[in-house]
Structure formats: structure tokens, C-alpha cells
Amino acid sequence: MSRVSDNPTIYFLDAENAAFSCQLDQESYLISFDPAAAGALPISPDRLRAIQAGFVRLFCRDGLWFIEALETENLYINGHRISAYLLPCQVTSGDVLQIGNSRCVLLMDGAITSGNQQLMMIVSGHRVVNLTTALSETALIRQLIIVSRHDTALENLRLMVTAEDIALEETIDVRRIEANSLFCVDPFLVPRISDALFLQQESISSTIHIELIDRATQTSVLTVELPLEVTAATNWPYARAYQSLLASYVTPHHPFIDEMVVKAKFHLSKTDEAPESLFQLLSGDNPARFEETFLCLYHYLLNEYKLTFSPPAQPNSSLQKIRMAENLIIEQAAKGKPGMGTGSCLDLALLLAGCLENLQLNPLIAIIEDDDHYWHALVGMWTSNEKHFQPLYRTKMSLMEGVESDRLILLDPNCLTEYYGKPEAFSVARERAEAFLRERPLIFALDVQAARDQGVVPMQFAFGGMALQALRLSRQIASSRKSAQLKSWHLLLALIRDSHKVRKTFIACGGNINTLNRLPEFREEAERISYKTVPDPAGEYREVLARAWQAVFADGRRLVDDIDLVRAVLLDRETSASDFLAKMNVPFDVFENAFHEQRDDSAPPVDASLSIVRSIRKQSTIPPE
């Protein structure tokens, strides 16, 4: 995995009120507030011996930035004087540091400025948006600061924030900006989770347009354009600001991972060498034997799957393409036949981490510097139920202590493949991972459960608005007709009634909408019974949902739409939906071909593999009313 630097920037406001910046590319600095020589100087022994008043020390520890005053008691952070006993004090993006009349603003993820010596706007924000950033409620604009050098207060202003590609349009009233002051806007603009983010498959360049308007004259006072990239859900932006979002790609309840864990439990329960308690162990009920759990899971994948290494794909220099389980596992393991899969070290690490979290264990992913241009991913787990509150580690000390005390087990996921010549045993994978950690620089390590506690949720799959409405309507139809079971013909009828595309195709194939309104009772003998609740889905109904999910997986999407549902209905001729079309005098072949022609030719064909259908069927639930 290639790496990219993402360093914070510090903006200085000198005595002449001219702003300039320094990018921080090391982990410790002396900050000078002297108007004649304001700046950030990397710390050296000579500079430490020559410290004068007006300097502070800014340093990074485990990915967090701290400040401490040197030979001065006049340090202010965000207007509050900081006493010596509170130092060192953690600082975050947007904090305003001040000594005397000199000030600076610390921004952790770069910034864009606009304006002049009288009025300036500084904006910092996340430059990438996709489904993971939306699900984790990552603010697009982390900090927006208006610097006024006017001698009088400014009043009656308004901020307009727009971005067409993500349907963003927000207004913020700025009632008053005091003379010679900073006006800060809290982090805001969390993108709404829309169907478009689930369906996004390619990266597009966009812009967030920020404009400060004088409400009295309706004229523009300041304008800033913040570049934005809207990208696919499976494109992980691996800059520093997004590193914790890697936990979104650990999907413990993914249908494929769920099936793998279930099969691992069943397989191990049938082996003579497995302890009798191993089945319970894998369900997370015996935390005293974490290592055995990890070992058994690893060897199940090693023995039951033929996994091959494949280099990672990168849409551009700032994104890493993640192969989710449905793309990594090409074929599920079947009786007497190994499963097939291909992925990079990161893909395999995320797969193992998902299995561990599925077993209610605490996974960790470590990103190690491999050489001058690439990273290498390791996967591990804590061997206790101790809660960790720090999601990101940027130094090796805690990890090395964990490894040496056996509180942390790390594996090299490439040992599951032929990367080193042949697949290797658990002990070898562990030795290779520990050697990487000792000998190579750590970029960062991610504690998945700690990231969950901070709001980073697993990647989700969903039904689009039209599909969701059709599923709900199918339940209403089945309930109103007192059907014993929810069947595929109920769903097809709901799609014809509710989806414009499906209804239009139905009419084009000879269907009569008026007939639907006079539809005779379409019942079986059991349907004469009165039911107070919505009927349970029949097997054919669940098969439809499974096939729809499979088609979505094949296309690399995260959203089932109405066309996915109707195509899934029409993949099987031996269902109640086929009988329904016959009663409507609509030829099945004609109706099916009409939707087949609507399919995007670039989309991969749908493979109705029974093993995949079964794996998804367990997760196919009907949305509530």
C-alpha cells in the first residue's frame, strides 16, 4: 500500500496582521511569536540551549499534538490563559495560540485562505466524501475562521455554503464580528446519507463554495472554494485525517464473513484434535484462550481457502481501493472443495479483523512502513477484554509492550497466501509480524473497538428508496390478502404498482394496469386462515433478496434498487411471480428480456451460486413497517 504524507499547518498573524503559514513535517517544533521572526523551527539541541521568552514547544505524541510554554507565563489558548501546572496541554485543529499580541492558528489537515489585510477567511476540511465518511458523521468543514482587522465591528453577515454534487446548501447567520478579532465556526456540514453515496462507484471532482455575504446589500464580501472529491464507498482516503475510518471496512456482520465464521465453528467442532470447548471458545464465551481462537480461525482459512496475493488498486494517489469480502472471496469453501480468494495484505487484514470482531474479540490493524514507497498491513488482536480508549497508535511503545507481554498477538496476513513462496503456519505468520514491528517504522495502528466507541461504524448495505418502498408495500399486499406466506409475486406486484420503470415495462409487455385494480384473489388453501401479523417470507422471497444482494455485490455497489429486485424476481421461472405474470397475460420471456436489455453492459453477470445465496439469505431481512 503506498503512503502519502499529511502534515498539519500553523498560520501566524504577525504585528502587521499579514498572515503566513508553516507546514509541520516533523514531530517537535519551537514556535516563535516574535513579530520579526515568527515561525516554526524544528527542535535541535542548539536551539533548546538558546531559548528566549516568546517561544513555545509544539510536539506530537501518539498522533496527538501538545503545547508547552518555555520561559513565559503569558500563553493563551482560545483566549484562556494557561497556567503552568496545566502544561503540556493538548491542542487540536482550529485552536488559537497567543503570546502578547501575536497569534497563530493550528490546523491539522491543511487549509485554504482568501481575503486581504482587512478581512481574511481560513477554511480547513476533509477533502474526500464517500459512504464511510457519511456513516461516521465526518464533518466536511472542520474549521472555518474569519479574521477581522477592521477597527469597528462587522454586523449583519451571512455564510452560504453550497456543493452541487452532494446536494449541499447551508446558510449560517453571522450577526457580529468584533473589531480586530477572530470569528470561529464550529465543525459542521456532515453530508446526508443519500442513495447517491451508496451507489457512487467512481471518483468525481467537486467544490464546496463558501461565500460571506453582506445581508444589507446582498453583495459578496469573501469567497473560498474548497476542493472536494466524491468517491466510491470502497475507496479509503488514507491521509492522516481519515486513518480511523479504516475501521469502517472491518465488517463483522458481512454475509460472507458470517458464513466463514459459522463454517469455522462447525469444522472445528468435528475435528478430533479440537478441544471440546472450542466451539464455545469461538463464540466468545471463553476469553481466557484468545490465542487458541486466533490460531484456529487462521488455520481454518489456511486449510479451507486458496488465497492469493494481489497488489492493491489505487484510483489515484490519495485513495486505496479496498476489496470487501464479496470481492475478495471469489468462491466460498464447499464440501470437499476449497474456497478461492485474492487480495492485498490490507484486504486480508480487514477480512481477518472482521472475523475476529464477529467472534466478539478486539482486533487491531497495524500499518508498517515497508520501504520508501509502500506500507504493509498487519492484523492482530488483544488477548483480554480490557477496554482501550485510544483508537490510533502512532508510536510502537504500547504495541511492543503488548507483544512482549502476550497481551497483543500480531500476524502477517500475507502468510495466508503464496506471497513468501507458500502459505505459512500461524507461528511463522506471528514471527514475521513481530519482526516487521521491531524493524520497520510504524505509520499507525488502529484499535477497531476504540474506533467504534468514537462513532466509526462498519460499512453498511441498504435498500434504496424505491426498493424499500416496494418491500414494505409487498408486506401490505400479503397482509391485506391474508396470505400464509410472503411470496415473490407480492413483491412483483408491489414493484409494478410503485416503480415507474417497472410499471412502464409491464405496460409495454402487454400488461393492463386496470386489471391490477380488479385483481382476483390469488390464494392457496392455507390462505383462508385469518392472520393478525404480517406473514413470514417464503423461501422463494428470501431467494429473491439473496440474488438482488448478489447482483449488487457483483457491481461493487452498496445499495439495492427497484431494478435489482425485479431482475432477481425474474431469475427463477418456477415461482409464484411466474404464475402471476401468466394470469396478467404478460409473457415471462418478453418481460424478462425487457429488463435484461436495460442492464448496463459493463456490469458483471450475475452468478446464481447457491453457496453465496445461502450466505446472504441469513442476512436478508424485511424492513419493518
Side-chain angles (χ1 to χ4, degrees):
M1 177 170 62
S2 15
R3 61 187 176 93
V4 64
S5 62
D6 181 46
N7 303 317
T9 302
I10 189 164
Y11 280 79
F12 295 90
L13 304 172
D14 64 17
E16 285 73 35
N17 290 325
F20 63 96
S21 65
C22 296
Q23 191 173 47
L24 310 183
D25 57 2
Q26 299 188 32
E27 293 192 346
S28 189
Y29 287 86
L30 288 178
I31 308 298
S32 169
F33 284 84
D34 184 351
L41 307 172
I43 286 182
S44 67
D46 291 340
R47 286 182 178 137
L48 281 175
R49 285 193 292 267
I51 286 174
Q52 298 175 353
F55 283 85
V56 298
R57 177 176 175 243
L58 177 69
F59 61 95
C60 182
R61 179 186 297 159
D62 286 339
L64 304 175
W65 286 89
F66 295 85
I67 199 88
E68 62 179 350
L70 302 172
E71 300 297 330
T72 183
E73 295 181 355
N74 296 316
L75 173 63
Y76 290 80
I77 299 180
N78 298 328
H80 300 285
R81 184 172 178 175
I82 304 300
S83 301
Y85 72 89
L86 294 175
L87 296 174
C89 177
Q90 183 182 344
V91 289
T92 59
S93 184
D95 282 347
V96 179
L97 315 180
Q98 181 176 349
I99 292 181
N101 293 323
S102 299
R103 297 170 299 183
C104 71
V105 178
L106 183 66
L107 297 163
M108 297 300 187
D109 53 357
I112 292 178
T113 62
S114 176
N116 50 47
Q117 290 195 6
Q118 292 298 307
L119 193 65
M120 183 177 67
M121 190 187 305
I122 303 174
V123 181
S124 69
H126 291 101
R127 306 296 179 86
V128 180
V129 60
N130 66 3
L131 180 60
T132 63
T133 64
L135 289 171
S136 300
E137 299 185 347
T138 303
L140 284 179
I141 296 180
R142 295 183 61 185
Q143 197 69 42
L144 194 157
I145 302 172
I146 301 173
V147 183
S148 173
R149 297 142 184 154
H150 287 273
D151 294 331
T152 59
L154 301 177
E155 297 181 337
N156 202 24
L157 301 173
R158 173 174 291 169
L159 275 171
M160 298 286 297
V161 186
T162 57
E164 292 184 1
D165 292 301
I166 55 174
L168 177 63
E169 187 173 344
E170 299 283 346
T171 61
I172 299 174
D173 287 333
V174 181
R175 300 189 181 277
R176 184 180 179 88
I177 302 177
E178 299 295 341
N180 292 307
S181 68
L182 301 178
F183 179 87
C184 300
V185 178
D186 292 333
F188 69 107
L189 302 180
V190 176
R192 297 180 178 86
I193 301 175
S194 63
D195 288 5
L197 290 177
F198 279 95
L199 297 169
Q200 191 74 33
Q201 297 187 60
E202 297 180 353
S203 296
I204 59 172
S205 297
S206 185
T207 302
I208 299 179
H209 183 80
I210 305 170
E211 188 174 15
L212 184 64
I213 298 173
D214 186 328
R215 297 177 64 184
T217 61
Q218 291 298 306
T219 56
S220 178
V221 178
L222 276 178
T223 300
V224 173
E225 300 283 347
L226 189 66
L228 181 69
E229 185 171 9
V230 184
T231 190
T234 53
N235 288 343
W236 171 50
Y238 52 82
R240 178 186 290 260
Y242 305 95
Q243 287 171 350
S244 63
L245 291 183
L246 187 60
S248 291
Y249 300 96
V250 178
T251 52
H253 301 300
H254 190 290
F256 285 27
I257 288 178
D258 186 69
E259 179 173 4
M260 291 172 66
V261 172
V262 169
K263 284 185 174 180
K265 293 178 182 179
F266 179 78
H267 173 80
L268 294 168
S269 68
K270 297 298 183 182
T271 59
D272 295 335
E273 62 271 18
E276 188 174 341
S277 62
L278 196 54
F279 185 90
Q280 295 180 344
L281 168 71
L282 279 173
S283 66
D285 294 332
N286 189 348
R289 298 175 63 186
F290 291 93
E291 182 177 352
E292 288 90 337
T293 303
F294 205 177
L295 183 149
C296 293
L297 179 62
Y298 179 89
H299 278 285
Y300 170 77
L301 294 175
L302 191 69
N303 296 327
E304 296 298 316
Y305 285 83
K306 182 177 176 57
L307 300 173
T308 57
F309 176 82
S310 177
Q314 289 183 274
N316 59 44
S317 60
S318 64
L319 297 173
Q320 171 80 38
K321 186 74 173 179
I322 303 293
R323 295 181 183 91
M324 304 298 290
E326 73 274 5
N327 303 118
L328 193 155
I329 300 300
I330 300 173
E331 187 174 343
Q332 290 278 24
K335 187 175 182 179
K337 180 181 178 183
M340 306 289 289
T342 181
S344 68
C345 58
L346 182 58
D347 301 328
L348 294 168
L350 293 169
L351 178 73
L352 273 167
C355 293
L356 292 171
E357 191 177 7
N358 182 288
L359 293 167
Q360 301 178 26
L361 301 175
N362 300 326
L364 178 138
I365 295 174
I367 305 298
I368 306 293
E369 187 173 313
D370 195 0
D371 55 36
D372 291 337
H373 302 287
Y374 292 96
W375 289 348
H376 181 52
L378 308 176
V379 61
M381 57 167 281
W382 299 103
T383 59
S384 72
N385 286 325
E386 179 185 356
K387 195 173 184 64
H388 298 265
F389 299 96
Q390 180 179 333
L392 289 172
Y393 297 82
R394 300 194 189 278
T395 62
K396 295 194 288 187
M397 182 174 64
S398 298
L399 302 185
M400 288 302 302
E401 289 177 355
V403 168
E404 291 168 359
S405 63
D406 289 332
R407 292 187 301 106
L408 175 65
I409 300 173
L410 282 177
L411 299 182
D412 183 346
N414 280 351
C415 291
L416 285 168
T417 74
E418 78 297 340
Y419 184 83
Y420 298 110
K422 62 178 182 179
E424 297 180 314
F426 181 87
S427 58
V428 178
R430 189 171 180 178
E431 290 172 3
R432 288 190 181 275
E434 292 175 2
F436 264 110
L437 185 63
R438 283 193 306 269
E439 300 167 7
R440 300 282 186 171
L442 174 72
I443 306 300
F444 73 92
L446 175 67
D447 185 299
V448 175
Q449 292 306 313
R452 297 278 185 257
D453 293 339
Q454 292 198 358
V456 182
V457 299
M459 178 82 72
Q460 295 181 11
F461 310 96
F463 293 98
M466 294 297 295
L468 185 62
Q469 179 62 24
L471 291 170
R472 289 172 174 166
L473 182 57
S474 68
R475 296 185 64 159
Q476 294 174 8
I477 292 172
S479 180
S480 65
R481 295 176 180 279
K482 298 181 174 59
S483 298
Q485 287 185 309
L486 186 58
K487 293 198 171 184
S488 61
W489 82 269
H490 297 121
L491 180 56
L492 181 57
L493 175 56
L495 286 163
I496 294 170
R497 286 183 171 177
D498 206 54
S499 169
H500 174 72
K501 293 179 182 178
V502 179
R503 183 168 61 253
K504 183 178 179 180
T505 305
F506 178 77
I507 295 171
C509 293
N512 188 338
I513 292 297
N514 293 328
T515 305
L516 295 180
N517 298 327
R518 304 188 302 271
L519 190 66
E521 295 297 324
F522 191 73
R523 299 178 178 175
E524 302 172 354
E525 291 184 5
E527 294 175 358
R528 301 181 185 279
I529 305 174
S530 175
Y531 291 91
K532 295 182 180 180
T533 60
V534 176
D536 292 328
E540 64 174 33
Y541 192 95
R542 293 188 178 276
E543 295 285 345
V544 167
L545 298 186
R547 289 193 293 265
W549 278 122
Q550 189 181 351
V552 167
F553 287 158
D555 287 351
R557 292 180 284 124
R558 288 292 175 278
L559 193 78
V560 171
D561 61 23
D562 50 340
I563 302 303
D564 292 319
L565 285 178
V566 73
R567 287 172 179 163
V569 168
L570 298 174
L571 277 176
D572 190 350
R573 294 171 176 269
E574 304 298 326
T575 63
S576 60
S578 177
D579 296 337
F580 169 77
L581 288 175
K583 286 182 176 290
M584 295 295 102
N585 297 317
V586 174
F588 187 94
D589 290 341
V590 175
F591 196 57
E592 179 188 25
N593 290 336
F595 285 102
H596 181 74
E597 291 169 0
Q598 293 179 28
R599 184 186 299 276
D600 183 357
D601 292 337
S602 64
V606 177
D607 175 19
S609 167
L610 287 179
S611 64
I612 297 178
V613 168
R614 286 194 208 100
S615 69
I616 302 173
R617 184 188 305 154
K618 294 192 293 292
Q619 300 294 324
S620 300
T621 57
I622 313 302
E625 293 293 336

